[in-house]
Amino acid sequence: MGTTESLIIAPQWIGDAVMTEPLLRRLRARGERLTVGALPWVAPVYRAMPQVAEVIEFPFAHGGLQFKARRGLARQLDKRFDIAYVCPNSLKSALLPFLAGIPKRVGYLGEARVGLLTHRLKNPPKAKRPPMVAFYSALSGETDVATDRPQLHLDASDIEQALAAMGLQREAYYVFAPGAEYGPAKRWPASHFADLARRLDRPVVLLGSAKEHELCEEIAAPVNAEQPDKCLNFAGKTSLAHAFSAIAATKNIVSNDSGLMHVAAAFGVRQVAIFGSSSPLHTPPLNDGATVLWLKNEPTYQPPLDCAPCFERVCPLGHTRCLVDIDPRKVLEKI
């Protein structure tokens, strides 16, 4: 028998992509050759997984079925794969493996895609859903998934090359990742990040997407006015691959519950992860070097945060106490 050729349909968010790594490690360990189909902004995550043989960048945009584009790509992939693992729960994500005629198609039930999948796992209700890493690892059909932890790897030479391009030296800086794609109820205030930057003994590298450049500038500008060049705003100015290298070589990273938080955890670097509207019980940074700050878990915090976690994009009560009340000095202690 030849090698089993497997296609993995990746999630569309960086954090979720990181959390699929243990699944891919399991599949590779049993001899499957892995090709990952991913959107361009997620593809660099899979290039930091040595078990992945090939990454296909999907030409799809956010939203819409884009049936014609999927059918065209399916024709190119026809007869190439034995199994497809569909990580997202959407109908459109299951469409490509179906159109490509992949004989075994594994995924969770949802969005009326019963006919598109041949091997269907029941989607647990949100209240009983396991942590996301175990949720993805269960697609392997194996059951000992509760302790899975993502791991990413970059060659040392690639890291050094990226640091040189960014003008950085290993462990001579801190990283801040102040964004959170989901919304402001997951973002520690910019003024708090700025206060923390002023107190640190090394320069701060700010990372994020082009959309987060302005947010990062809100942090960098007032600090640099007092301490020139203390903050380096790379948001939207560097590739995701270079951002990964900067994270892998940092002294410590401070972030919200975001994709870059999961990237840092998978590189095993020291980190402080700040949670507000979401829950570290569901998507924690799986890293022995991680400190999680979540006021919901602080017995001395009064009045208690009965509203958390609300999982809303914007604070429904208008105060975002869960984040505003995390003092920069408390974060400094943890660094």
Side-chain angles (χ1 to χ4, degrees), residues 89-141:
N89 275 338
S90 63
L91 175 73
K92 63 184 178 185
S93 60
L95 201 52
L96 181 69
F98 174 77
L99 293 171
I102 299 172
K104 184 176 178 181
R105 305 181 298 276
V106 183
Y108 282 96
L109 279 169
E111 275 206 16
R113 55 189 204 164
V114 173
L116 301 181
L117 300 169
T118 60
H119 291 67
R120 300 174 289 271
L121 283 72
K122 280 188 179 172
N123 217 328
K126 276 191 177 175
K128 293 184 179 176
R129 185 172 286 187
M132 285 305 292
V133 172
F135 179 77
Y136 287 128
S137 288
L139 289 171
S140 66

Side-chain angles (χ1 to χ4, degrees), residues 133-313:
V133 172
F135 179 77
Y136 287 128
S137 288
L139 289 171
S140 66
E142 296 167 13
T143 54
D144 57 334
V145 296
T147 57
D148 278 7
R149 286 185 164 204
Q151 299 168 16
L152 295 178
H153 174 78
L154 291 173
D155 289 339
S157 59
D158 291 339
I159 293 174
E160 294 308 325
Q161 206 174 347
L163 293 182
M166 297 172 80
L168 302 174
Q169 289 185 312
R170 189 181 281 271
E171 293 199 9
Y173 58 90
Y174 296 100
V175 167
F176 286 178
E181 186 76 28
Y182 188 70
K186 285 178 83 170
R187 292 187 207 128
W188 199 44
S191 57
H192 286 16
F193 272 110
D195 189 349
L196 178 61
R198 289 184 186 95
R199 298 168 187 270
L200 291 171
D201 59 352
R202 288 171 171 79
V204 172
V205 169
L206 292 150
L207 296 176
S209 66
K211 283 189 285 188
E212 290 158 351
H213 183 82
E214 204 174 305
L215 168 66
C216 290
E217 202 51 36
E218 263 185 71
I219 297 162
V223 178
N224 288 339
E226 299 163 20
Q227 302 175 45
D229 300 323
K230 181 71 179 284
C231 289
L232 307 168
N233 184 359
F234 283 103
K237 290 185 170 181
T238 191
S239 68
L240 194 55
H242 275 195
F244 283 10
S245 289
I247 289 169
T250 188
K251 177 80 174 163
N252 201 314
I253 176 172
V254 180
S255 74
N256 302 308
D257 171 19
S258 66
L260 293 184
M261 176 195 78
H262 292 290
V263 169
F267 280 123
V269 301
R270 291 187 65 214
Q271 66 184 135
V272 179
I274 299 171
F275 279 75
S277 63
S278 57
S279 166
L281 305 177
H282 184 50
T283 51
L286 295 169
N287 174 15
D288 291 337
T291 298
V292 170
L293 291 177
W294 194 37
L295 289 178
K296 175 77 172 181
N297 274 352
E298 289 280 338
T300 57
Y301 179 72
Q302 295 296 327
L305 276 173
D306 296 331
C307 54
C310 68
F311 298 108
E312 298 289 345
R313 291 177 188 272

